Amino acid sequence: MKNKVVLRSVFIGFALFTLEAKAAIVIDQQLSISAGTFYYSNFQLQQDEESVWVYSLVPAYRVSALDGKNTWFASAALRLERSTNEDVSANREDPSGQIGWRRDLEKGSAGVSTSYVRSSSRLRQFRETGLLFEDTTDTTRTIDANWTHLFSDRLDLAVVGSYQETTFGWTQGG
């Protein structure tokens, strides 16, 4: 009698476990590589013009897991830059990454993500000041959270929170 109860318990437990294990999870993976070449005739905007060619290669990988209502995602990339004249533009290796989660709700969605990006500050310097003083490094860390509720086709409520921190360092120092 005891063996039958144990066997039934094991069978029921196994059946319940396999029912849970049948939940479909879809894994989506993406790999991309982009390349570019840039020519700057007077990159530092100085009277003694020095031209430079900058070659870039950016391998990136993204993976997502979907189980119906939840989506987990992560991505990583590495921007490699090589210059023909390191006195004008330094060689760089800048990583970036993101990880997050999103859930579809009955009438809306909720999600959280965090990211890390390291990049050259030369473009920011040029946009803000019109000059390039030094090629330094920006490191930006971000945390985002959001929640959306749909009241009707025309009315929804969204609550979004974000924290971003940017630090500046020296070339290649990060």
Side-chain angles (χ1 to χ4, degrees):
M1 180 77 169
K2 221 179 205 185
N3 289 338
K4 286 184 181 181
V5 172
V6 170
L7 286 174
R8 284 184 188 167
S9 298
V10 169
F11 178 76
I12 291 171
F14 181 72
L16 290 174
F17 177 77
T18 56
L19 288 175
E20 289 295 317
K22 289 183 182 179
I25 294 179
V26 177
I27 304 291
D28 180 31
Q29 299 181 61
Q30 299 171 357
L31 177 64
S32 64
I33 299 175
S34 60
T37 303
F38 303 96
Y39 175 74
Y40 300 101
S41 60
N42 187 5
F43 187 69
Q44 295 176 330
L45 302 175
Q46 295 179 354
Q47 294 226 354
D48 299 332
E49 294 182 15
E50 288 190 72
S51 62
V52 64
W53 285 90
V54 178
Y55 304 98
S56 68
L57 185 69
V58 184
Y61 176 73
R62 179 173 174 88
V63 62
S64 300
L66 302 96
D67 73 353
K69 293 190 177 202
N70 294 298
T71 303
W72 294 272
F73 56 90
S75 64
L78 180 64
R79 181 175 183 81
L80 303 167
E81 285 188 1
R82 296 297 177 255
S83 169
T84 57
N85 186 347
E86 287 190 59
D87 293 333
V88 176
S89 177
N91 291 337
R92 301 187 59 88
E93 291 141 11
D94 297 322
S96 64
Q98 181 183 30
I99 189 167
W101 163 79
R102 180 173 183 232
R103 180 172 176 87
D104 293 329
L105 305 171
E106 188 175 325
K107 290 188 173 187
S109 65
V112 176
S113 67
T114 184
S115 65
Y116 172 88
V117 178
R118 191 172 81 186
S119 62
S120 169
S121 62
R122 65 179 171 241
L123 295 176
R124 182 184 299 215
Q125 284 180 9
F126 183 73
R127 278 192 306 251
E128 293 179 8
T129 67
L131 297 172
L132 293 171
F133 301 107
E134 269 189 280
D135 186 11
T136 61
T137 299
D138 291 359
T139 302
T140 304
R141 294 170 181 88
T142 307
I143 299 173
D144 296 309
N146 62 68
W147 173 78
T148 304
H149 182 74
L150 301 171
F151 291 105
S152 68
D153 291 342
R154 294 183 174 202
L155 180 64
D156 67 348
L157 173 66
V159 178
V160 178
S162 182
Y163 174 78
Q164 184 176 40
E165 176 185 83
T166 302
T167 57
F168 298 93
W170 301 109
T171 303
Q172 292 297 99

